[in-house]
Amino acid sequence: MEDIGKRSRGRGLPSRRTVLAGSAALAMPAIWTSGARAQSSTLVVSTWGGNFGRLLTENVDVPFMKPLGIEVVQDIGGEEARVAKIQAQRMLPQGNIDVACVTGGVAQRLADLGALEPLNAATVPNLAHALPNLLTPTAAPQFYSPQVLIYSSERVKEPPTSFADLLEPAYKNKVGLTDGNFPFNMMAAALYASGNITDVAGAKEAMIRLNKNGLKLYPSVDATAPPFKSGEIDAGIMFLARVISWQDSGIPVKAAFPKEGAALYVSSLVVPKNAPNKQAALKYINAMLEPSAQQGFAAKLGYIPATDNAGLSGTLAQQLALPVPAPKLVVPDYAAMAAGSADLADWWKKTIQRS
Amino acid sequence: MSDAIISGRRSRQLGGTVLLAPATLVVLIMLAAPLALLVRYSFNRFSPTDLMIAAVTPENYVRFFTDPFYLEVMRTTIGVALLSTVLCLILGLPIGWRLSRMRPPWRGIFIFAMIMPLFVSSTVRALGWMILFARGGVLDLGSSYFFQRHFEMQFSSTGVVIGIVSANLPYMVLMAQSVFAGIDDRLSEAARGLGAAPVRAFWRVIWPLAIPGIAIATIMCLILGMNAYATPILLGGPRFQMMAPLVYWEFGTNNNWPFASALAFVLMATTLLLAVVAHTLVPRRYRA
């Protein structure tokens, strides 16, 4: 045996003892990590990056989760990638997302798939303060923003009052929309066409007319701001939150609520059914609905709190206050949105983008 | 004795093969496996709820080849790629030639200047063009001041071609420079010594020797142009459609992985076909 061992070493092959020692050494980080994880729990939040992710860290992760010993890891990316992950993982016993930030329509799509954990005030106490019209059985509303008519306060003397105004010759080649917001742009057109937010046929007809009036499309929300400043466009459709943040940046724009109604953009938090750390996920959502967290997002991004106890005050409360008399606010029909989203995207691409 | 030499050579070759095997395996896995997956996905069926339903159906390819919209996008892509490649050739070859005949340290300085843009990502470069082209941008301000007319090139096909040329030109120049620098100056001198005018000496002696390298540079620019993503999105805008952004739209906005896979595969196959055609256009005796 000794000879064999010597020969092995002579050829540079490891002995059994060396292999065992090496394996133990390799396993050490895993053993150590598992011990460390037992002491502090990790929560994966799938979210947008930039200001959004930073505000989550400042208003939720640090003040609420850190004291509980919960380490928050942000999985930053686009919404559709997030949806694809949850969809692809939903048959697995355990996924890798604990909380996902999604828009209302996407939350509905995921709920229809049975991929989401039910949420209620028993497990998330602050849901008792969530605005009832924004709350769904599986999605906690994080905040919302009405979709308004945006116009240049320098060049537009008579503010628009309806989508119909954008079709007028006065606005020829002067209306700009964000291409990526096409589902909401279509909702605005549907409300104008018939007052019914799901009137796809009416919306298509109205949008074709707007396109013929020299509609300009911009690839992202942020790319839509400079044309207002440079004079390239005078009006469009935008979320009130963005109008406020652009005003804060010195861009001369104002918002007007369309008389036919304003669709609501709702940002939600959901918990996948197979979330690995469900308990921490529920605590996270509860923390997001705390007044201080709601105030943080309202102050920096201009979104309206989705709870009744956020307690905004001062200039911010004035900026976010709805006009009197109260405008017509319409929560999107998420089920209809989910059913027609692929067809609508195809139509938008081939009809509006192309012509 | 000769048997021993042959045996030693075979042994060395075997050793070389063994050493190459891991890298080859990694490349095969990293390249072939995703491609195989892409092909497989492209024959699946899209479902808004399940993402994909396993199937073997040609419907995604049929959809592409029967819908004029997608064929038009492909035509635009090929047109932009060809035009930008021709412009790269026209602009890049004289610069490459001049650089190859420069003396140190100027040659190094200018080559470094050509490399500099490559340190900046194509997205950032496209953003730079946006600042230049946009309404209220540098060119618009100049035009408004001097001619009292607005100048707008953002969201236009011209802007996209300029953006792609600016991104691909350094590759063409650097490769052309390297090809021309590898050709012995004495060949040209000999031709001139035998009575050829400089232009004739270039076309009859230098150019045939440079063709294989220039062909590779051309094919590379063509491939880069066909697959351009950031430039068409940022400088072309939503109304200007090329294949790579379309693939992302189907993948990212619609979550239609099967159709996105089919689009990606069609784009890849078309690019490969164009590269082969470009290669065959080079006379056989000049091919690398």
mmCIF file of all heavy atoms in Angstrom, chain B residues 171-204:
data_model
loop_
_atom_site.group_PDB
_atom_site.id
_atom_site.type_symbol
_atom_site.label_atom_id
_atom_site.label_comp_id
_atom_site.label_asym_id
_atom_site.label_seq_id
_atom_site.Cartn_x
_atom_site.Cartn_y
_atom_site.Cartn_z
ATOM 1 N N TYR B 171 -13.093 50.147 -36.767
ATOM 2 C CA TYR B 171 -12.715 48.764 -37.077
ATOM 3 C C TYR B 171 -12.163 48.684 -38.496
ATOM 4 O O TYR B 171 -11.156 48.029 -38.757
ATOM 5 C CB TYR B 171 -13.924 47.838 -36.948
ATOM 6 C CG TYR B 171 -14.469 47.747 -35.547
ATOM 7 C CD1 TYR B 171 -15.651 48.374 -35.199
ATOM 8 C CD2 TYR B 171 -13.787 47.030 -34.558
ATOM 9 C CE1 TYR B 171 -16.160 48.298 -33.919
ATOM 10 C CE2 TYR B 171 -14.288 46.956 -33.271
ATOM 11 C CZ TYR B 171 -15.473 47.589 -32.960
ATOM 12 O OH TYR B 171 -15.964 47.513 -31.678
ATOM 13 N N MET B 172 -12.850 49.334 -39.414
ATOM 14 C CA MET B 172 -12.416 49.299 -40.818
ATOM 15 C C MET B 172 -11.030 49.942 -40.941
ATOM 16 O O MET B 172 -10.123 49.382 -41.586
ATOM 17 C CB MET B 172 -13.438 50.045 -41.683
ATOM 18 C CG MET B 172 -13.062 50.165 -43.150
ATOM 19 S SD MET B 172 -12.917 48.590 -43.996
ATOM 20 C CE MET B 172 -14.622 48.232 -44.383
ATOM 21 N N VAL B 173 -10.835 51.100 -40.328
ATOM 22 C CA VAL B 173 -9.569 51.823 -40.443
ATOM 23 C C VAL B 173 -8.429 50.991 -39.845
ATOM 24 O O VAL B 173 -7.366 50.828 -40.468
ATOM 25 C CB VAL B 173 -9.668 53.196 -39.738
ATOM 26 C CG1 VAL B 173 -8.301 53.853 -39.649
ATOM 27 C CG2 VAL B 173 -10.635 54.101 -40.477
ATOM 28 N N LEU B 174 -8.668 50.444 -38.659
ATOM 29 C CA LEU B 174 -7.603 49.699 -37.986
ATOM 30 C C LEU B 174 -7.226 48.448 -38.774
ATOM 31 O O LEU B 174 -6.046 48.125 -38.920
ATOM 32 C CB LEU B 174 -8.032 49.331 -36.564
ATOM 33 C CG LEU B 174 -8.169 50.522 -35.613
ATOM 34 C CD1 LEU B 174 -8.753 50.102 -34.285
ATOM 35 C CD2 LEU B 174 -6.820 51.197 -35.402
ATOM 36 N N MET B 175 -8.238 47.756 -39.308
ATOM 37 C CA MET B 175 -7.929 46.545 -40.070
ATOM 38 C C MET B 175 -7.246 46.899 -41.385
ATOM 39 O O MET B 175 -6.291 46.232 -41.794
ATOM 40 C CB MET B 175 -9.205 45.737 -40.312
ATOM 41 C CG MET B 175 -9.670 45.061 -39.027
ATOM 42 S SD MET B 175 -11.068 43.980 -39.266
ATOM 43 C CE MET B 175 -10.314 42.540 -39.967
ATOM 44 N N ALA B 176 -7.732 47.953 -42.050
ATOM 45 C CA ALA B 176 -7.118 48.358 -43.317
ATOM 46 C C ALA B 176 -5.676 48.797 -43.076
ATOM 47 O O ALA B 176 -4.770 48.423 -43.837
ATOM 48 C CB ALA B 176 -7.931 49.495 -43.939
ATOM 49 N N GLN B 177 -5.473 49.539 -42.021
ATOM 50 C CA GLN B 177 -4.121 49.995 -41.689
ATOM 51 C C GLN B 177 -3.192 48.815 -41.486
ATOM 52 O O GLN B 177 -2.070 48.782 -42.008
ATOM 53 C CB GLN B 177 -4.205 50.861 -40.409
ATOM 54 C CG GLN B 177 -2.931 51.499 -39.968
ATOM 55 C CD GLN B 177 -2.042 50.554 -39.172
ATOM 56 O OE1 GLN B 177 -0.841 50.574 -39.344
ATOM 57 N NE2 GLN B 177 -2.609 49.724 -38.317
ATOM 58 N N SER B 178 -3.692 47.829 -40.749
ATOM 59 C CA SER B 178 -2.865 46.661 -40.456
ATOM 60 C C SER B 178 -2.572 45.872 -41.743
ATOM 61 O O SER B 178 -1.457 45.377 -41.945
ATOM 62 C CB SER B 178 -3.592 45.829 -39.408
ATOM 63 O OG SER B 178 -3.414 44.506 -39.607
ATOM 64 N N VAL B 179 -3.567 45.777 -42.633
ATOM 65 C CA VAL B 179 -3.376 45.054 -43.899
ATOM 66 C C VAL B 179 -2.343 45.783 -44.764
ATOM 67 O O VAL B 179 -1.382 45.176 -45.266
ATOM 68 C CB VAL B 179 -4.722 44.938 -44.649
ATOM 69 C CG1 VAL B 179 -4.508 44.478 -46.082
ATOM 70 C CG2 VAL B 179 -5.652 43.986 -43.933
ATOM 71 N N PHE B 180 -2.524 47.101 -44.916
ATOM 72 C CA PHE B 180 -1.605 47.875 -45.767
ATOM 73 C C PHE B 180 -0.191 47.898 -45.180
ATOM 74 O O PHE B 180 0.799 47.847 -45.917
ATOM 75 C CB PHE B 180 -2.118 49.316 -45.930
ATOM 76 C CG PHE B 180 -3.326 49.421 -46.821
ATOM 77 C CD1 PHE B 180 -4.427 50.181 -46.443
ATOM 78 C CD2 PHE B 180 -3.366 48.771 -48.054
ATOM 79 C CE1 PHE B 180 -5.545 50.282 -47.274
ATOM 80 C CE2 PHE B 180 -4.490 48.871 -48.878
ATOM 81 C CZ PHE B 180 -5.581 49.621 -48.485
ATOM 82 N N ALA B 181 -0.122 47.965 -43.844
ATOM 83 C CA ALA B 181 1.202 48.015 -43.206
ATOM 84 C C ALA B 181 1.973 46.710 -43.417
ATOM 85 O O ALA B 181 3.203 46.685 -43.399
ATOM 86 C CB ALA B 181 1.045 48.313 -41.716
ATOM 87 N N GLY B 182 1.211 45.617 -43.605
ATOM 88 C CA GLY B 182 1.862 44.309 -43.796
ATOM 89 C C GLY B 182 2.379 44.106 -45.203
ATOM 90 O O GLY B 182 3.016 43.089 -45.491
ATOM 91 N N ILE B 183 2.070 45.030 -46.102
ATOM 92 C CA ILE B 183 2.527 44.882 -47.493
ATOM 93 C C ILE B 183 3.842 45.650 -47.669
ATOM 94 O O ILE B 183 3.914 46.847 -47.371
ATOM 95 C CB ILE B 183 1.449 45.408 -48.477
ATOM 96 C CG1 ILE B 183 0.168 44.571 -48.312
ATOM 97 C CG2 ILE B 183 1.945 45.353 -49.911
ATOM 98 C CD1 ILE B 183 -1.032 45.122 -49.053
ATOM 99 N N ASP B 184 4.836 44.949 -48.119
ATOM 100 C CA ASP B 184 6.176 45.530 -48.246
ATOM 101 C C ASP B 184 6.164 46.714 -49.228
ATOM 102 O O ASP B 184 5.711 46.560 -50.372
ATOM 103 C CB ASP B 184 7.129 44.434 -48.742
ATOM 104 C CG ASP B 184 8.577 44.822 -48.496
ATOM 105 O OD1 ASP B 184 8.847 46.043 -48.449
ATOM 106 O OD2 ASP B 184 9.402 43.905 -48.322
ATOM 107 N N ASP B 185 6.691 47.838 -48.770
ATOM 108 C CA ASP B 185 6.756 49.045 -49.597
ATOM 109 C C ASP B 185 7.586 48.824 -50.857
ATOM 110 O O ASP B 185 7.369 49.471 -51.888
ATOM 111 C CB ASP B 185 7.393 50.168 -48.764
ATOM 112 C CG ASP B 185 6.445 51.356 -48.646
ATOM 113 O OD1 ASP B 185 5.358 51.285 -49.252
ATOM 114 O OD2 ASP B 185 6.798 52.325 -47.963
ATOM 115 N N ARG B 186 8.542 47.889 -50.740
ATOM 116 C CA ARG B 186 9.460 47.693 -51.874
ATOM 117 C C ARG B 186 8.741 47.136 -53.099
ATOM 118 O O ARG B 186 9.174 47.307 -54.218
ATOM 119 C CB ARG B 186 10.585 46.746 -51.454
ATOM 120 C CG ARG B 186 11.597 47.449 -50.552
ATOM 121 C CD ARG B 186 12.613 46.507 -50.011
ATOM 122 N NE ARG B 186 11.989 45.500 -49.171
ATOM 123 C CZ ARG B 186 12.658 44.578 -48.485
ATOM 124 N NH1 ARG B 186 13.977 44.533 -48.532
ATOM 125 N NH2 ARG B 186 12.034 43.694 -47.738
ATOM 126 N N LEU B 187 7.582 46.442 -52.863
ATOM 127 C CA LEU B 187 6.811 45.915 -53.997
ATOM 128 C C LEU B 187 6.280 47.068 -54.853
ATOM 129 O O LEU B 187 6.355 47.039 -56.081
ATOM 130 C CB LEU B 187 5.627 45.075 -53.488
ATOM 131 C CG LEU B 187 5.992 43.767 -52.805
ATOM 132 C CD1 LEU B 187 4.753 43.139 -52.176
ATOM 133 C CD2 LEU B 187 6.591 42.802 -53.834
ATOM 134 N N SER B 188 5.788 48.080 -54.156
ATOM 135 C CA SER B 188 5.271 49.248 -54.872
ATOM 136 C C SER B 188 6.417 49.969 -55.584
ATOM 137 O O SER B 188 6.291 50.398 -56.738
ATOM 138 C CB SER B 188 4.568 50.166 -53.864
ATOM 139 O OG SER B 188 4.147 51.318 -54.487
ATOM 140 N N GLU B 189 7.543 50.079 -54.866
ATOM 141 C CA GLU B 189 8.719 50.748 -55.457
ATOM 142 C C GLU B 189 9.193 50.000 -56.703
ATOM 143 O O GLU B 189 9.555 50.611 -57.720
ATOM 144 C CB GLU B 189 9.844 50.827 -54.435
ATOM 145 C CG GLU B 189 9.595 51.916 -53.383
ATOM 146 C CD GLU B 189 10.504 51.747 -52.163
ATOM 147 O OE1 GLU B 189 11.483 50.974 -52.262
ATOM 148 O OE2 GLU B 189 10.196 52.371 -51.139
ATOM 149 N N ALA B 190 9.170 48.656 -56.609
ATOM 150 C CA ALA B 190 9.608 47.840 -57.752
ATOM 151 C C ALA B 190 8.700 48.087 -58.952
ATOM 152 O O ALA B 190 9.161 48.220 -60.090
ATOM 153 C CB ALA B 190 9.590 46.362 -57.370
ATOM 154 N N ALA B 191 7.376 48.147 -58.677
ATOM 155 C CA ALA B 191 6.419 48.391 -59.764
ATOM 156 C C ALA B 191 6.691 49.736 -60.415
ATOM 157 O O ALA B 191 6.662 49.869 -61.643
ATOM 158 C CB ALA B 191 5.002 48.332 -59.223
ATOM 159 N N ARG B 192 6.956 50.716 -59.552
ATOM 160 C CA ARG B 192 7.210 52.056 -60.101
ATOM 161 C C ARG B 192 8.535 52.081 -60.861
ATOM 162 O O ARG B 192 8.690 52.746 -61.877
ATOM 163 C CB ARG B 192 7.199 53.094 -58.991
ATOM 164 C CG ARG B 192 5.781 53.633 -58.782
ATOM 165 C CD ARG B 192 5.730 54.662 -57.711
ATOM 166 N NE ARG B 192 5.636 54.026 -56.400
ATOM 167 C CZ ARG B 192 5.841 54.645 -55.261
ATOM 168 N NH1 ARG B 192 6.206 55.905 -55.249
ATOM 169 N NH2 ARG B 192 5.717 54.014 -54.127
ATOM 170 N N GLY B 193 9.470 51.292 -60.328
ATOM 171 C CA GLY B 193 10.769 51.189 -61.004
ATOM 172 C C GLY B 193 10.628 50.591 -62.395
ATOM 173 O O GLY B 193 11.415 50.869 -63.301
ATOM 174 N N LEU B 194 9.603 49.742 -62.543
ATOM 175 C CA LEU B 194 9.379 49.118 -63.846
ATOM 176 C C LEU B 194 8.493 49.974 -64.748
ATOM 177 O O LEU B 194 8.014 49.534 -65.781
ATOM 178 C CB LEU B 194 8.728 47.732 -63.657
ATOM 179 C CG LEU B 194 9.652 46.698 -63.016
ATOM 180 C CD1 LEU B 194 8.875 45.458 -62.611
ATOM 181 C CD2 LEU B 194 10.770 46.313 -63.986
ATOM 182 N N GLY B 195 8.172 51.191 -64.254
ATOM 183 C CA GLY B 195 7.469 52.145 -65.112
ATOM 184 C C GLY B 195 6.015 52.368 -64.772
ATOM 185 O O GLY B 195 5.331 53.127 -65.488
ATOM 186 N N ALA B 196 5.510 51.723 -63.737
ATOM 187 C CA ALA B 196 4.091 51.929 -63.408
ATOM 188 C C ALA B 196 3.915 53.246 -62.684
ATOM 189 O O ALA B 196 4.720 53.596 -61.811
ATOM 190 C CB ALA B 196 3.592 50.782 -62.529
ATOM 191 N N ALA B 197 2.832 53.945 -63.033
ATOM 192 C CA ALA B 197 2.512 55.179 -62.309
ATOM 193 C C ALA B 197 2.073 54.790 -60.904
ATOM 194 O O ALA B 197 1.643 53.648 -60.683
ATOM 195 C CB ALA B 197 1.392 55.912 -63.029
ATOM 196 N N PRO B 198 2.147 55.722 -59.903
ATOM 197 C CA PRO B 198 1.791 55.363 -58.514
ATOM 198 C C PRO B 198 0.393 54.753 -58.397
ATOM 199 O O PRO B 198 0.218 53.761 -57.686
ATOM 200 C CB PRO B 198 1.872 56.708 -57.779
ATOM 201 C CG PRO B 198 2.821 57.529 -58.578
ATOM 202 C CD PRO B 198 2.674 57.093 -59.995
ATOM 203 N N VAL B 199 -0.565 55.341 -59.122
ATOM 204 C CA VAL B 199 -1.936 54.824 -59.012
ATOM 205 C C VAL B 199 -2.006 53.401 -59.562
ATOM 206 O O VAL B 199 -2.592 52.501 -58.976
ATOM 207 C CB VAL B 199 -2.921 55.754 -59.770
ATOM 208 C CG1 VAL B 199 -4.329 55.161 -59.783
ATOM 209 C CG2 VAL B 199 -2.931 57.130 -59.137
ATOM 210 N N ARG B 200 -1.347 53.187 -60.692
ATOM 211 C CA ARG B 200 -1.334 51.860 -61.322
ATOM 212 C C ARG B 200 -0.616 50.849 -60.417
ATOM 213 O O ARG B 200 -1.060 49.709 -60.254
ATOM 214 C CB ARG B 200 -0.637 51.965 -62.681
ATOM 215 C CG ARG B 200 -0.746 50.720 -63.533
ATOM 216 C CD ARG B 200 -0.051 50.984 -64.869
ATOM 217 N NE ARG B 200 0.161 49.760 -65.609
ATOM 218 C CZ ARG B 200 -0.745 49.214 -66.409
ATOM 219 N NH1 ARG B 200 -1.909 49.786 -66.568
ATOM 220 N NH2 ARG B 200 -0.485 48.084 -67.062
ATOM 221 N N ALA B 201 0.476 51.298 -59.822
ATOM 222 C CA ALA B 201 1.236 50.419 -58.909
ATOM 223 C C ALA B 201 0.346 50.010 -57.728
ATOM 224 O O ALA B 201 0.361 48.862 -57.283
ATOM 225 C CB ALA B 201 2.486 51.138 -58.405
ATOM 226 N N PHE B 202 -0.461 50.964 -57.247
ATOM 227 C CA PHE B 202 -1.344 50.647 -56.125
ATOM 228 C C PHE B 202 -2.380 49.608 -56.545
ATOM 229 O O PHE B 202 -2.566 48.587 -55.881
ATOM 230 C CB PHE B 202 -2.045 51.926 -55.636
ATOM 231 C CG PHE B 202 -3.012 51.665 -54.516
ATOM 232 C CD1 PHE B 202 -2.568 51.614 -53.197
ATOM 233 C CD2 PHE B 202 -4.368 51.444 -54.778
ATOM 234 C CE1 PHE B 202 -3.461 51.352 -52.170
ATOM 235 C CE2 PHE B 202 -5.255 51.182 -53.750
ATOM 236 C CZ PHE B 202 -4.801 51.136 -52.439
ATOM 237 N N TRP B 203 -3.071 49.884 -57.674
ATOM 238 C CA TRP B 203 -4.159 48.987 -58.077
ATOM 239 C C TRP B 203 -3.649 47.626 -58.544
ATOM 240 O O TRP B 203 -4.326 46.622 -58.352
ATOM 241 C CB TRP B 203 -5.005 49.635 -59.183
ATOM 242 C CG TRP B 203 -5.896 50.710 -58.655
ATOM 243 C CD1 TRP B 203 -5.832 52.037 -58.929
ATOM 244 C CD2 TRP B 203 -6.957 50.536 -57.704
ATOM 245 N NE1 TRP B 203 -6.781 52.712 -58.212
ATOM 246 C CE2 TRP B 203 -7.493 51.825 -57.453
ATOM 247 C CE3 TRP B 203 -7.505 49.435 -57.037
ATOM 248 C CZ2 TRP B 203 -8.543 52.037 -56.570
ATOM 249 C CZ3 TRP B 203 -8.548 49.649 -56.177
ATOM 250 C CH2 TRP B 203 -9.073 50.941 -55.932
ATOM 251 N N ARG B 204 -2.485 47.553 -59.142
ATOM 252 C CA ARG B 204 -2.013 46.281 -59.692
ATOM 253 C C ARG B 204 -1.191 45.477 -58.708
ATOM 254 O O ARG B 204 -1.099 44.262 -58.823
ATOM 255 C CB ARG B 204 -1.185 46.537 -60.962
ATOM 256 C CG ARG B 204 -1.951 47.168 -62.099
ATOM 257 C CD ARG B 204 -3.106 46.275 -62.567
ATOM 258 N NE ARG B 204 -2.648 45.038 -63.174
ATOM 259 C CZ ARG B 204 -2.391 44.897 -64.472
ATOM 260 N NH1 ARG B 204 -2.591 45.916 -65.294
ATOM 261 N NH2 ARG B 204 -1.989 43.751 -64.964
#
